[in-house]
Structure formats: C-alpha cells, structure tokens
Amino acid sequence: MRVSISLGGSLLKDLEAFRRYADVLRRLKAKGHRIVVVCGGGRRAREFIAQARSLGASEELQDRVGILVTHLNALLLIAALGEDADPRVHRRSSDVKRHMDDKIIVGGGHLPGSSTDYRAVLFARAIGAELIVNATDYGGVFDKDPSKHPDAMKYDHLTYDELERIIRSRFEQRPGDYGLFDLKAVRLAKRLGIPIVFVDGTDPEEIIRAVEGGHSGTVVSD
Ligand code: UTP
C-alpha cells in the first residue's frame, strides 16, 4: 500500500524514539509498503517559535522558525533510517513523486501558514496514497480533552466534516499550535477522498496496525 505518515513532533523526543520509528518504517517497507513520512516539530519547534514571538517576529517568521525545526527532526530520522531512506529532506510534492523509488521518503515543512499535516496530505496526493496516518501522542480523536476529562470518549469513525467541526470548535490553528490536525489538511483529504487514521504513536506498533489493520485509533473518511 502507498501510505503518507504525519509523524507528530511530540513523538520525536529522544534518540530512542528516532530509532523506534525508524524500525517501524523499515518494517513497513520490508512488507512492501511505499512510505512517505513527514516529521513534525514538537516541543523544540514550540520553544523556538515562542522565542521568536517574544522577539517580535511576525507569524510568517514564526512559521519559518518552526519549519526549520521540522527539517532538523527529518534529518535525524534520515540518520536513523540509514540506507533505507532517501537522503534528502523533501518539501515539494513534485520532488516526492520523482524520487519515490524503493527508499523511504522523509519530508519536513515547506510554506508558512500550515503544518506538516498539510504536507503529509499533499504528499499523499503526489504518490497516489490510499491512506494517511496521523501518529501523535494521544490515541485518536475524543469528544473532549482526555487529559482533563477521564471520561472522554474516543470516536472510532468520523466524517471529514465532523472532524472539521471538532477542530474549529476546540483547537487552535496558529504557529506552533495546529491542534489535533491542520484544517487545510482535512479539507484537502476530503477533496481527494483519502482516509486519515489517527493513532497513538507512543506505541509504534499502532503505526503498523494503522496500515495493516487492528489499530485502536479513529478513522476519518466519508
Ligand atoms: P508541525 O507540523 O509540527 O506543527 O510544525 P504542529 O502541528 O503545530 O506541532 P506538532 O504536530 O504538535 O509537533 C511546527 C510548526 O512549523 C510551522 C508551523 O508554525 C507549525 O506549527 N510550519 C510547519 C509551517 O509554517 N509550514 C509547514 O509546512 C510546516
């Protein structure tokens, strides 16, 4: 299967994490899946963006700071993947299409005003992906914030429109904080009709199950 993975920066917190996700991506590749993975910026991006904001940076400049951090994470993932990765950090869909061979393609952010989630959907379109996986440190989409409400309920399935309404009502969309998922990314995935699976990437096996079945996250489709 052709799969585009948005790997949340919150997951890429230490060396061990880079090794674990590299291992999972390698296993997917060995099973014959074609993988594009876009790295988020995580805590480091938020710290740099907050510093830029304190120094008076415009939103565009804050985004450019965040983009650089996503590229640093992508370079570390490329290092962990070694021979299995294309050595370039990809930012343009046209390049991804051209370089999609037997290597895992690793991407980072590109333009201000969006997040790596949007890149992952653009790359999905470029490679003709059948699935987009959004791996983060929370397992799926909930009816309320599970960190504050122990009785929060996870959705097994949502439509794109339902996901859009949830993001609009409960999450930010600004530099360093594209909460849950980037709205532009939801709309594009809807136009393309590519399902998005939200999984808890703190268990790397969930990424394999998101592709092969049996995950316990949330599926977003029509
Ligand atoms: P992320 O994709 O990690 O954003 O990019 P996020 O969803 O806010 O954070 P995670 O997923 O929890 O890690 C980090 C920041 O880089 C900028 C945005 O400011 C974003 O918040 N960025 C990233 C862009 O402006 N354009 C891009 O294409 C990618």
Side-chain angles (χ1 to χ4, degrees), residues 67-120:
I67 290 167
L68 270 189
V69 179
T70 68
H71 283 238
L72 289 175
N73 279 341
L75 283 170
L76 292 183
L77 186 62
I78 287 170
L81 283 164
E83 286 295 298
D84 291 303
D86 183 291
R88 289 159 284 222
V89 176
H90 288 270
R91 46 162 76 209
R92 290 191 178 78
S93 306
S94 51
D95 290 344
V96 166
K97 199 169 171 185
R98 209 156 0 108
H99 295 292
M100 189 77 188
D101 50 21
D102 61 328
K103 302 282 188 189
I104 295 167
I105 299 281
V106 182
H110 182 26
L111 297 173
S114 59
S115 81
T116 47
D117 299 332
Y118 184 52
R119 260 320 82 203

Side-chain angles (χ1 to χ4, degrees), residues 26-75:
R26 258 192 218 108
R27 279 163 54 203
L28 284 171
K29 175 176 175 277
K31 288 164 177 247
H33 300 294
R34 310 295 288 276
I35 305 292
V36 171
V37 55
V38 187
C39 294
R43 187 176 48 81
R44 276 189 274 229
R46 271 187 287 280
E47 281 169 7
F48 275 102
I49 288 171
Q51 287 177 342
R53 192 179 293 139
S54 301
L55 291 168
S58 64
E59 290 216 332
E60 186 191 326
L61 188 49
Q62 292 172 41
D63 279 337
R64 283 169 50 205
V65 168
I67 290 167
L68 270 189
V69 179
T70 68
H71 283 238
L72 289 175
N73 279 341
L75 283 170

Side-chain angles (χ1 to χ4, degrees), residues 3-208:
V3 185
S4 179
I5 301 174
S6 179
L7 194 57
S10 55
L11 298 173
L12 302 171
K13 43 182 178 232
D14 54 26
L15 274 186
E16 198 38 45
F18 282 96
R19 290 199 184 101
R20 271 191 298 155
Y21 295 111
D23 178 56
V24 160
L25 296 169
R26 258 192 218 108
R27 279 163 54 203
L28 284 171
K29 175 176 175 277
K31 288 164 177 247
H33 300 294
R34 310 295 288 276
I35 305 292
V36 171
V37 55
V38 187
C39 294
R43 187 176 48 81
R44 276 189 274 229
R46 271 187 287 280
E47 281 169 7
F48 275 102
I49 288 171
Q51 287 177 342
R53 192 179 293 139
S54 301
L55 291 168
S58 64
E59 290 216 332
E60 186 191 326
L61 188 49
Q62 292 172 41
D63 279 337
R64 283 169 50 205
V65 168
I67 290 167
L68 270 189
V69 179
T70 68
H71 283 238
L72 289 175
N73 279 341
L75 283 170
L76 292 183
L77 186 62
I78 287 170
L81 283 164
E83 286 295 298
D84 291 303
D86 183 291
R88 289 159 284 222
V89 176
H90 288 270
R91 46 162 76 209
R92 290 191 178 78
S93 306
S94 51
D95 290 344
V96 166
K97 199 169 171 185
R98 209 156 0 108
H99 295 292
M100 189 77 188
D101 50 21
D102 61 328
K103 302 282 188 189
I104 295 167
I105 299 281
V106 182
H110 182 26
L111 297 173
S114 59
S115 81
T116 47
D117 299 332
Y118 184 52
R119 260 320 82 203
V121 181
L122 288 165
F123 288 178
R125 174 171 71 184
I127 66 166
E130 291 138 79
L131 187 68
I132 296 156
V133 177
N134 186 49
T136 59
D137 60 355
Y138 47 86
V141 185
F142 292 80
D143 63 344
K144 46 194 163 191
D145 184 348
S147 67
K148 294 189 189 130
H149 306 275
D151 63 335
M153 197 201 69
K154 182 167 36 185
Y155 297 105
D156 292 332
H157 179 263
L158 288 170
T159 64
Y160 299 104
D161 291 341
E162 285 167 340
L163 176 64
E164 183 168 339
R165 276 198 291 277
I166 289 172
I167 295 171
R168 280 186 183 288
S169 63
R170 289 179 17 217
F171 293 92
E172 300 278 355
Q173 294 277 294
R174 61 182 185 126
D177 192 7
Y178 283 84
L180 189 58
F181 207 63
D182 186 330
L183 271 179
K184 274 160 83 175
V186 182
R187 290 193 206 111
L188 181 58
K190 179 184 174 181
R191 277 210 303 284
L192 298 169
I194 307 175
I196 312 165
V197 181
F198 287 75
V199 286
D200 179 2
T202 59
D203 173 5
E205 298 299 318
E206 271 289 273
I207 298 179
I208 306 244

